[in-house]
Amino acid sequence: MSSSGSASSSPGKTSRRRSNTDDAANPIPAKKPMFSIFDKKSTSAAVNAVIDWKTYGTSFIIGQAYAPKAGPKVAAFDLDSTLISVNGKHKWPKNADDWVWWNTSVPGRLKELADEGYILVIITNQNGLDGKVEKQKEFKLKMEKICGQLQLPMWILISMQKDHYRKPMTGLWHWLETKFEEDGIHIDDDQSYYVGDAAGRHDGWKVGAVKDFNNTDRKFAVSLGIAFHTPEHFFLNQHCPEEKWSFGKFDPKVWPKQMPLFSPSSTPLLPESGTCEVILFCGFPASGKSSFAQKHILSTGRYEYVNQDTLKSREKCIKAVDESLQKSKAVVIDNTNPDKIARAPYIALAKKHNVPIRCFLFVADKDLATHNNYFRAFHRPLIEAAQKVQKRNRDSPPVANTVTTTTSSTTTATTNSIGEDTETRSSSTTTSIKKVVTVTKVRDEPARERLSEMVFASYAKKYQEPTLAEGFSEIKKINFVPDEDIREAWERWYC
């Protein structure tokens, strides 16, 4: 997980933590006079750009306007409220013509960047396009109108799903890295940056400003370790003070590295061997319950395991617990058990068989559990993509800011796209810049399906904190402690 700094043609790379703010210490280069043609609104006459579109299943769309090249310096931008706005006070665009430039300086500034050798890239989340062919066509037409006014080479990367290609996850950037490497180009993090409006700014960060709807753009840049700027800073040189933005209540990078696994610690986690008991879990989905059970309880070989995801119904879980206790076997119940009603049948069974029942309360809150939900679903493809980049870079000749001649043979890539299935690249002479990619271990377990936000909202609504009065002999609070070998991957932003 990472962070960053400036937008000049050769910015210095900053700390990969909170210091990636768009602040006065990282000034934006002076702007050249704007061409009058760029002051026109989107309604001005322009020929729509011819864009080479490829759709990759239901996941993402790639567009190439005016035959963009690969290059080490990437100037990447969000689209809505960064390059363009709706043409009016309404929130959502009505059609492909419902847009104006976010600021009249935008087109001229983009031309300056292209002239300075930057590769222009748009990376945008567009959830509403998933599976909707007509909306996809309309959005493509909108981009053709936008690019037609710019008449600049540009890559367009559009995420349609809540998968690892959606910001703040970095899948689309890794796709771009791979594409550039087909031409022998390594993207230089020190000279590249991302500009977006989802920056986590608070109400009143400047006079009259309302808070940002999200902070995913800033998180995206942080995870990549490239500089980040808001459009106000990049295009207008308006500074947001450090104390006027945040990542929100939860930041995985500052999650405590040292904390007790459980409390109270005055009693052991498990009793002596041979003790028959019931351990009932309570906690959000993705709060670490199953991993904890495997590592700290089931590894002893002393407990039967009951889990509704496996048994498929609450009734089968209750029956399995009853059968285990009839055989005097200890049992652990790995379900969410949010309220008294869910917990009561297991307490009754323990009483029936005259064995103690303890509650293990997993104290992870909704924000932490949501992060874990995305991590366990998507960390594997993201880290594996970084590993591939690292391997290719390691196998390449060591170069740094030097021009080299790279001949890349024609490459064919097959995908499950509903657009074109193959891509080819001919040999080329390119400028290569060596890139260092930090790689962390991939958790050696199958990826879990991402749970919907409704699952977490439902748990939070039902939740009643367990009490000894319900019949528990003890309540242990279990802290979430990420395994150190995957800590770096866990600290990235996923949502």
Side-chain angles (χ1 to χ4, degrees):
M1 291 285 307
S2 346
S3 178
S4 5
S6 161
S8 65
S9 58
S10 56
K13 193 168 186 178
T14 63
S15 165
R16 292 195 168 199
R17 286 202 176 272
R18 188 180 167 98
S19 60
N20 77 317
T21 56
D22 46 341
D23 57 24
N26 297 300
I28 300 298
K31 301 174 181 59
K32 299 175 185 177
M34 300 301 168
F35 296 94
S36 60
I37 187 174
F38 292 132
D39 290 335
K40 297 179 181 179
K41 300 292 186 179
S42 65
T43 52
S44 61
V47 177
N48 292 354
V50 176
I51 300 179
D52 178 19
W53 293 108
K54 293 180 183 177
T55 304
Y56 291 77
T58 61
S59 183
F60 63 98
I61 299 172
I62 301 296
Q64 298 179 57
Y66 299 103
K69 306 295 184 183
K73 299 192 303 181
V74 172
F77 299 84
D78 186 28
L79 178 65
D80 299 306
S81 300
T82 298
L83 297 181
I84 63 170
S85 300
V86 295
N87 190 8
K89 295 183 179 180
H90 49 288
K91 187 173 183 180
W92 307 111
K94 299 174 181 177
N95 52 50
D97 292 303
D98 186 10
W99 64 274
V100 293
W101 294 115
W102 179 81
N103 184 272
T104 56
S105 66
V106 169
R109 186 74 176 105
L110 296 181
K111 186 178 186 307
E112 289 176 9
L113 294 173
D115 291 343
E116 293 166 7
Y118 279 91
I119 306 303
L120 301 180
V121 179
I122 292 175
I123 303 177
T124 177
N125 292 345
Q126 297 291 332
N127 254 9
L129 302 185
D130 176 21
K132 299 177 176 63
V133 175
E134 290 305 313
K135 286 193 174 183
Q136 291 177 23
K137 288 180 180 178
E138 184 173 56
F139 189 81
K140 289 176 182 178
L141 176 60
K142 180 178 180 177
M143 292 308 308
E144 288 160 7
K145 291 174 179 289
I146 292 168
C147 292
Q149 289 206 16
L150 292 171
Q151 297 186 29
L152 297 171
M154 182 172 289
W155 294 86
I156 305 160
L157 284 58
I158 307 164
S159 166
M160 299 186 290
Q161 279 268 20
K162 286 191 175 180
D163 60 11
H164 65 285
Y165 294 104
R166 176 180 172 82
K167 295 179 301 180
M169 289 179 281
T170 52
L172 282 179
W173 185 270
H174 298 317
W175 183 95
L176 192 71
E177 288 178 316
T178 302
K179 182 61 62 179
F180 282 17
E181 285 168 358
E182 292 177 5
D183 289 335
I185 299 292
H186 304 312
I187 297 175
D188 182 11
D189 288 349
D190 289 335
Q191 298 191 83
S192 301
Y193 49 82
Y194 189 74
V195 181
D197 66 302
R201 291 169 294 183
H202 305 160
D203 271 326
W205 70 267
K206 69 173 182 177
V207 177
V210 298
K211 69 177 182 179
D212 292 334
F213 75 99
N214 211 321
N215 49 24
T216 50
D217 290 334
R218 191 187 294 271
K219 289 175 178 177
F220 177 72
V222 166
S223 287
L224 290 170
I226 62 175
F228 172 76
H229 301 287
T230 62
E232 287 85 357
H233 181 235
F234 190 81
F235 292 111
L236 306 178
N237 210 17
Q238 295 179 357
H239 163 57
C240 175
E242 176 84 2
E243 69 277 7
K244 294 288 188 177
W245 70 269
S246 73
F247 285 124
K249 294 183 293 183
F250 174 74
D251 183 348
K253 292 178 296 305
V254 298
W255 189 253
K257 293 185 182 295
Q258 300 293 331
M259 68 170 68
L261 184 62
F262 61 88
S263 64
S265 57
S266 55
T267 57
L269 181 69
L270 301 179
E272 294 180 357
S273 180
T275 302
C276 183
E277 70 163 347
V278 177
I279 297 176
L280 181 140
F281 286 178
C282 174
F284 269 105
S287 58
K289 299 186 300 299
S290 297
S291 296
F292 183 92
Q294 293 291 337
K295 187 173 183 179
H296 299 287
I297 301 177
L298 299 181
S299 59
T300 67
R302 294 160 44 191
Y303 287 76
E304 298 292 304
Y305 182 64
V306 173
N307 174 260
Q308 191 165 318
D309 289 342
T310 304
L311 296 178
K312 305 302 182 185
S313 76
R314 182 181 169 195
E315 290 71 24
K316 289 183 179 179
C317 290
I318 294 170
K319 181 181 178 182
V321 172
D322 194 17
E323 290 173 349
S324 294
L325 294 180
Q326 286 177 25
K327 300 172 186 176
S328 297
K329 292 183 176 179
V331 60
V332 57
I333 305 160
D334 176 15
N335 296 334
T336 59
N337 299 309
D339 54 21
K340 293 179 181 178
I341 292 176
R343 299 187 288 260
Y346 302 109
I347 297 171
L349 281 176
K351 185 176 181 180
K352 170 186 170 184
H353 292 280
N354 195 30
V355 298
I357 180 169
R358 296 188 296 153
C359 177
F360 281 16
L361 175 60
F362 290 75
V363 296
D365 63 12
K366 183 179 177 182
D367 292 326
L368 171 57
T370 300
H371 175 83
N372 288 345
N373 177 39
Y374 277 81
F375 168 77
R376 68 189 191 182
F378 301 123
H379 89 281
R380 179 180 293 276
L382 288 173
I383 299 307
E384 287 178 345
Q387 288 174 330
K388 289 178 182 177
V389 171
Q390 183 188 50
K391 183 179 185 302
R392 282 189 291 267
N393 289 348
R394 186 172 60 242
D395 295 342
S396 301
V399 292
N401 297 324
T402 58
V403 177
T404 62
T405 300
T406 305
T407 302
S408 41
S409 58
T410 299
T411 302
T412 302
T414 303
T415 180
N416 61 346
S417 67
I418 60 175
E420 297 183 50
D421 293 317
T422 60
E423 302 171 8
T424 59
R425 287 288 180 272
S426 59
S427 61
S428 59
T429 301
T430 60
T431 300
S432 298
I433 290 186
K434 192 69 176 175
K435 179 180 178 183
V436 177
V437 177
T438 301
V439 173
T440 186
K441 183 177 177 180
V442 174
R443 173 58 60 82
D444 187 21
E445 63 184 29
R448 301 278 293 275
E449 182 180 355
R450 181 188 67 84
L451 302 175
S452 73
E453 283 76 4
M454 290 180 60
V455 173
F456 296 87
S458 175
Y459 179 91
K461 186 176 181 180
K462 291 180 180 178
Y463 178 69
Q464 296 172 314
E465 185 171 347
T467 65
L468 294 175
E470 292 177 55
F472 295 114
S473 61
E474 182 184 37
I475 297 175
K476 278 199 179 296
K477 293 185 176 181
I478 310 297
N479 291 314
F480 180 80
V481 182
D483 290 341
E484 200 57 40
D485 62 340
I486 50 90
R487 176 94 192 202
E488 188 176 345
W490 183 82
E491 287 182 350
R492 294 173 66 90
W493 289 107
Y494 294 89
C495 57

